[in-house]
Amino acid sequence: MEKSVKMKLSAGVRRILQTLNSAGHEAYLVGGCVRDLLRSVKPHDWDICTSALPEETEQCFAGQQVIETGLKHGTVTVLEEGEPYEITTYRTEGPYSDSRRPDFVHFVPNLEEDLARRDFTMNAIAMDLQGNLRDPFGGVDDIKAGLIRCVGEPDQRFQEDGLRVMRALRFAAVFGYEIEEQTAQAVHENRTMLDRVAAERINAELCKLLVGKGAGDVLRQYPDVFCQFWPQLGPLVTLEQHNPWHCWGGWEHTIHALEAVPTDVTLRLAMLLHDIGKPACKSTDEQGIDHFYAHPAVSARLADEMLRALKFDNKTRERVVLLVERHDAQLLPRSQVIRRWLNRLGPKAFFQFLDVKRADNMGQAPEKVRDRLAELDEIRAKAEQILADRQCLTLKDLAVDGRDVIAAGIEPGPEVGRVLEGLLERMLSGEIPNERETLMAILRSNIVRHDSNSMGNLDS
């Protein structure tokens, strides 16, 4: 295994390890890059640890571009052919007063002491230039077994940095791994540590988690963790849905819907939040059937609040809120209806809207939704054909423009826009074709029959 892993090292990594070794220092790849190599995944970055002190590392690479990125904590960055490589001196760490960074570090000559400070065993493996592994905590075996296990005492690891709670869940979701029993218990018990973690850091881990192949299983097993930073999820987790369309409670329906949508973070967020307003809208009729009238609007309001709390960017937040607000809207497989929706949302948002509606149905009683799913397939096919035919959907697609309207006799001003909107409306409904001669004839006909103030109706 070591030989095959060694063959995957980049030329830059080889040069850095060789340079440090030639100067008499130990040097190892460490952390995520070794983990990824052992999983046959190409590393996205390379971290190197060494017995060399920071000033010794700088001396080794004199004449090259060196960035003192974290000199206080023993880290320098060396640029090799424009690529950055972080090199950190072996170290142990002091207490984490801010639950994020150690108050101080001690440089040590021993690799095992450095590995002991890391979060999970799979991230506490080192590899030298020859491909030899140093694995004092059994990380290789845990990778083979698909297990996430803390290095040492789990409570201590999570209390050092509360974000490790989310990192454990993220790794479980992305890799499809199980969290080892004691580590899992510590995740639950230390979830309140997330209260001390910046929203932006939680955001980054959550987004990676939600697009992981095991996201659904993680949501099922750890709802209490997600409720820690989004307490609005709590009522949904316990929501019962006594309704012929639903075979699961609110949380399980949400998870099934999330698993049914493509692995796009916007869509995954939309499905996670699409029914967040249901508990507040629940009513039960005389037959004992539950209803959730107006829940999309309430869900959209809550989703906006929750996304703002985690500092999501405006573009993502606005699109998620739009999809949540519209997820229950009626959509018929008629061309004029589809054209109006394409006009209203734009093609990308419209197809995301279809993805959301399909996923929502996939989380409901299978025997009830077959016809709905077939209808959504028909709508998608018609929408794709409308776009392939380059049918008119927006004002810029019209075969006439404002200059044509003015040439037909309308004074420049707001009325020109109203005339064009009237033409577009009739076109979207299928009443008239998008042909220049036809549109010009309509304009001229209206000029003849009406004064210019009535042109916005374009009823002839």
Side-chain angles (χ1 to χ4, degrees), residues 86-101:
E86 283 197 351
I87 306 173
T88 303
T89 302
Y90 299 159
R91 72 190 195 195
T92 58
E93 298 173 339
Y96 285 64
S97 297
D98 64 357
S99 299
R100 180 177 181 181
R101 298 183 182 89

Side-chain angles (χ1 to χ4, degrees), residues 186-210:
V187 165
H188 290 295
E189 292 175 351
N190 289 279
R191 66 186 185 276
T192 58
M193 292 298 299
L194 290 170
D195 295 345
R196 305 175 68 178
V197 176
E200 293 86 351
R201 299 179 77 208
I202 296 174
N203 178 323
E205 294 295 330
L206 177 65
C207 289
K208 295 173 185 176
L209 186 162
L210 289 178

